[in-house]
Amino acid sequence: MNSRTPLRFLNALAILVGSLSVPAAPAAAGAPARVAQGPASASAWTSSWFASPQPLWDASFVLPTGMPAELRDQTLRERLRLSLGGKRLRVVLSNRYGAQPLVIGAAHVALAGEGAAIRPGSDRALTFGGRPGVTVAPGAQAVSDPVDLPVAALSELAVSTYFPQATPVATFHWGAQQTAALARGNASAAPDLPGARPLAGRAFLAGVWVEGPADAPVVVAFGDSLTDGNGSTPGANRRWPDFLARRLAPLGVGVVNAGISGARVWGDKMGQNAMARFEADVLSQPGVRTVVMMLGINDIGWPDSAFAPQDAPMTAARLVEGYRQLADAAHARNVRIVAGTIAPYEGSLHGTALAGHYSPAKDAVRLEVNRWIRESGVFDAVVDFEAVLRDPSHPARLLPAYDSGDHLHPGDAGYQAMAQALDMATLFGR
């Protein structure tokens, strides 16, 4: 525990340390009651939702982006679910990988309704320095002015952005597990978007901050497709960080998801390597106290497969070097780092062009890395996701009840089990 740990959270921790049985359900369904607080603290902006920006890759890569090359005179409406609530909110738009200025003609935020609709009376226009639109420099982000829209924890929002001119989709998020709506013209304030084109990814929308207690801690989930939620039910918010957010919201703790499908510790392509994006995606999150890191399966699996056929095989020593750098960076900023072991994946993507992702030699590297994660003492704590997800009768494979079907990604039940494995002592120490 360090000097940044809030007093009100210590009170909650005293009750919940060591418990693995906190219900994985929304507050209305019996989650633990908020513990009585001490003196009121000043308010602050805290990260409540996040989607890691990724650069758009070219058509030579084995997986398509599913995104249009550009947006022009179109409105994109994206749904998201907050973790923490607050009195006001701000929206973050990113041009991190753009080569030209990003021009937003108009933007709105509202409580989400069914499909692409918004809830009546909740629509708010976003402004940036008092203006209705904004131009975001290449490599930069823009944070909206505060919006007077009180939101409860676990609320679902719809953010609509209008692109008046030709806008290359240079910054996006691939594994959204959520369908956006793309409409013609400036429909950012429209109550619904009938006839809009569905879009499986995100573009330019990177975060939402809420105004609440200054001591509200945030947990950042930092990982690959198992953190991004591949294999979970689309649109249902059943990634493991979502299940964790349901547990922690009643305690005033935020959870944001910095997972990128295809992420690697060392390699680029589906997002920058972990060390290159760690500052922006984790350490710069307002309110961050703890990062839960689960990375390495793609570093091990991609070489000698259709993902990265020319890459040299990954070694345990190389991965360990990267993990040490991430741990050092977290500790230099007084952020607690929890390492997750790498899940079993024998038989993954079998019968597809990507089946080379698994081999017995690669799995031996995974097991060596997991032993080091458990035994090295480099991290503040370890969560043994491998032990949670493996089949006791066949430890190299996912437990069938937790398998989404591709033998690589858990399904909803597996993600819920992962969230349940993170108790309060692991996340925040004693």
Side-chain angles (χ1 to χ4, degrees):
M1 194 68 67
N2 57 57
S3 59
R4 299 177 61 191
T5 305
L7 177 60
R8 74 194 191 100
F9 189 67
L10 284 172
N11 293 335
L13 183 60
I15 294 176
L16 295 173
V17 160
S19 171
L20 285 172
S21 60
V22 181
R34 180 183 293 273
V35 180
Q37 307 301 319
S41 59
S43 64
W45 293 104
T46 302
S47 186
S48 182
W49 176 85
F50 183 69
S52 290
Q54 297 171 251
L56 201 73
W57 53 83
D58 60 41
S60 65
F61 188 58
V62 66
L63 295 177
T65 65
M67 298 294 286
E70 68 174 24
L71 303 174
R72 183 198 298 258
D73 188 28
Q74 291 171 296
T75 296
L76 182 62
R77 178 167 292 174
E78 304 179 50
R79 292 177 67 104
L80 61 95
R81 194 189 72 169
L82 299 175
S83 56
L84 290 174
K87 298 178 291 185
R88 297 188 296 173
L89 61 83
R90 306 177 82 169
V91 173
V92 183
L93 302 174
S94 174
N95 193 24
R96 187 187 296 183
Y97 300 108
Q100 66 185 50
L102 167 65
V103 177
I104 304 294
H108 284 243
V109 64
L111 297 176
E114 294 295 324
I118 61 175
R119 287 173 54 180
S122 69
D123 180 63
R124 303 288 189 275
L126 297 178
T127 59
F128 302 83
R131 297 178 179 273
V134 65
T135 299
V136 190
Q141 68 178 24
V143 182
S144 76
D145 299 332
V147 178
D148 289 321
L149 180 62
V151 288
L154 307 178
S155 295
E156 292 204 35
L157 300 183
V159 177
S160 305
T161 46
Y162 170 58
F163 304 91
Q165 62 187 48
T167 305
V169 182
T171 301
F172 84 125
H173 185 86
W174 187 73
Q177 308 303 319
Q178 188 78 57
T179 301
L182 187 60
R184 295 179 181 176
N186 183 3
S188 56
D192 201 352
L193 300 177
R197 168 188 169 186
L199 198 62
R202 299 191 181 278
F204 306 111
L205 177 62
V208 177
W209 302 348
V210 296
E211 186 178 26
D215 58 358
V218 172
V219 175
V220 180
F222 185 64
D224 49 41
S225 56
L226 274 76
T227 297
D228 215 7
N230 283 28
S232 66
T233 301
N237 298 305
R238 292 177 183 172
R239 314 160 188 86
W240 74 255
D242 296 322
F243 284 110
L244 187 63
R246 290 187 182 97
R247 287 176 50 200
L248 300 188
L251 300 176
V253 178
V255 179
V256 299
N257 191 334
I260 288 180
S261 296
R264 290 182 283 174
V265 175
W266 286 102
D268 299 330
K269 182 58 76 175
M270 295 179 74
Q272 285 185 309
N273 67 80
M275 290 163 287
R277 71 183 182 95
F278 196 57
E279 171 67 35
D281 288 3
V282 177
L283 302 181
S284 294
Q285 294 285 348
V288 59
R289 297 291 190 272
T290 299
V291 54
V292 180
M293 179 202 74
M294 183 192 189
L295 282 164
I297 190 62
N298 295 316
D299 295 81
I300 296 169
W302 276 29
D304 196 30
S305 79
F307 286 110
Q310 305 305 317
D311 284 12
M314 180 54 59
T315 65
R318 182 72 165 153
L319 272 178
V320 164
E321 181 184 353
Y323 293 147
R324 287 186 183 275
Q325 291 186 34
L326 293 170
D328 287 346
H331 291 149
R333 296 285 288 275
N334 204 22
V335 171
R336 182 178 176 85
I337 182 166
V338 178
T341 53
I342 304 172
Y345 77 120
E346 183 183 281
S348 65
L349 309 176
H350 180 71
T352 75
L354 305 173
H357 192 52
Y358 174 85
S359 74
K362 291 177 179 181
D363 205 40
V365 175
R366 178 185 69 88
L367 294 173
E368 184 179 352
V369 168
N370 280 351
R371 281 193 295 271
W372 181 85
I373 289 172
R374 295 185 186 103
E375 299 170 5
S376 68
V378 165
F379 305 102
D380 297 289
V382 170
V383 55
D384 200 343
F385 287 140
E386 179 192 29
V388 171
L389 295 172
R390 69 190 176 204
D391 184 346
S393 66
H394 194 148
R397 285 182 179 258
L398 292 173
L399 185 71
Y402 290 164
D403 193 341
S404 67
D406 65 4
H407 309 311
L408 176 62
H409 302 101
D412 295 352
Y415 286 128
Q416 185 171 13
M418 291 173 69
Q420 287 292 113
L422 283 157
D423 61 28
M424 303 300 287
T426 300
L427 288 171
F428 294 99
R430 295 184 181 274

